[in-house]
Structure formats: structure tokens, C-alpha cells
Amino acid sequence: MFARLITDSVTRRPRRKMLTVAALALGMAVVTAALSVALDVGDRLAAEFTSLGANLVVTPQADSLPLESAA
């Protein structure tokens, strides 16, 4: 019974059904591409920051403090 309802629906307006399927496929493709890019960017940034290591410069808050080195 259900299969008969589906076949009748498709045979009545096949062009409309194809347009719906095409729109759904295009939407899924766009969402998949966006998620893939969003997830890949985070992974690449994490790998890049890890390879650079700790690049921190510690300076005093006030300029009037004397800085002395042991060398």
C-alpha cells in the first residue's frame, strides 16, 4: 500500500520530485563541505601551533624597572 502511494506520487509530478531530490542533494553537499572545512581548519591550526612551540616574550609591566642579565 505504501509503495503504491509513493509510485502514484512520483508518476503524477515527476519533475517536482526530481527538483526536490536535487535541492536536498545540493543542500547536503554544501553542509558537508562547510563542516569539512570548519573541522579541518581547527586541526591545521593546532598542528601549526604545536610545531612552532612556545614563543612567549615576558616583559615587565613598567618600563622603569632595571633589567640585568647574568651575561
Side-chain angles (χ1 to χ4, degrees):
M1 182 70 178
F2 183 70
R4 183 176 160 208
L5 287 173
I6 297 298
T7 54
D8 286 346
S9 174
V10 171
T11 55
R12 270 188 270 148
R13 291 189 179 178
R15 193 173 191 184
R16 188 172 183 179
K17 301 305 185 272
M18 285 189 295
L19 182 62
T20 302
V21 169
L24 285 172
L26 183 64
M28 287 187 292
V30 167
V31 168
T32 302
L35 283 174
S36 175
V37 168
L39 294 174
D40 189 45
V41 166
D43 292 342
R44 285 187 183 190
L45 281 175
E48 187 71 24
F49 288 144
T50 302
S51 71
L52 291 176
N55 295 321
L56 300 175
V57 177
V58 180
T59 58
Q61 193 170 15
D63 290 335
S64 63
L65 295 173
L67 294 176
E68 297 177 12
S69 66

